[in-house]
Amino acid sequence: MPDTTPPRRLLTDAQTNDLGHALLTLTKELWVLTDRVHTFEAVLAKHGIAVTEDIEAYEPDADETARRLAHSQRIVQSVLGALGIGISPGEAMAHESVKSSNEHDGTTS
């Protein structure tokens, strides 16, 4: 049964412009990181070290997964703080997980 609880509004109308700036900043940073990863893989391949398939197949262990989750929560908290949103990273990530899950199964949250 789909969740019929109305979604909590995360931003006020006054924060919409700040959100636009935050999205552009994150998009730029994402591009820089993506470009660096592609460059890194290309340089390794040039030296005879093919890593792309290994990277795609890599599955972190429980400790690495926990470290990555903690790091992702720090990033989310930083973005939320910059937007002046007072919810925890866990709440924000849960909200996104429900939203993402609902998008896949055709329901809305």
Side-chain angles (χ1 to χ4, degrees):
M1 177 175 208
D3 182 6
T4 58
T5 306
R8 187 167 98 179
R9 187 172 177 147
L10 295 177
L11 298 174
T12 65
D13 290 336
Q15 291 171 310
T16 302
N17 192 47
D18 293 338
L19 176 62
H21 287 287
L23 285 174
L24 287 174
T25 299
L26 288 170
T27 301
K28 289 175 189 176
E29 289 300 320
L30 180 60
W31 168 246
V32 168
L33 290 171
T34 301
D35 186 56
R36 297 281 298 187
V37 167
H38 289 188
T39 300
F40 187 64
E41 290 178 15
V43 169
L44 286 171
K46 181 179 175 182
H47 292 281
I49 305 169
V51 296
T52 303
E53 287 182 19
D54 289 341
I55 291 170
E56 295 295 326
Y58 180 75
E59 293 188 30
D61 63 21
D63 288 340
E64 179 65 19
T65 299
R67 282 191 297 274
R68 290 179 183 197
L69 178 59
H71 184 74
S72 70
Q73 288 177 339
R74 284 190 300 273
I75 291 170
V76 169
Q77 188 62 54
S78 176
V79 171
L80 293 175
L83 292 171
I85 299 173
I87 64 173
S88 74
E91 288 178 286
M93 292 176 84
H95 175 77
E96 285 305 308
S97 294
V98 169
K99 180 179 164 189
S100 177
S101 174
N102 289 343
E103 287 171 354
H104 290 289
D105 67 16
T107 62
T108 58
S109 63

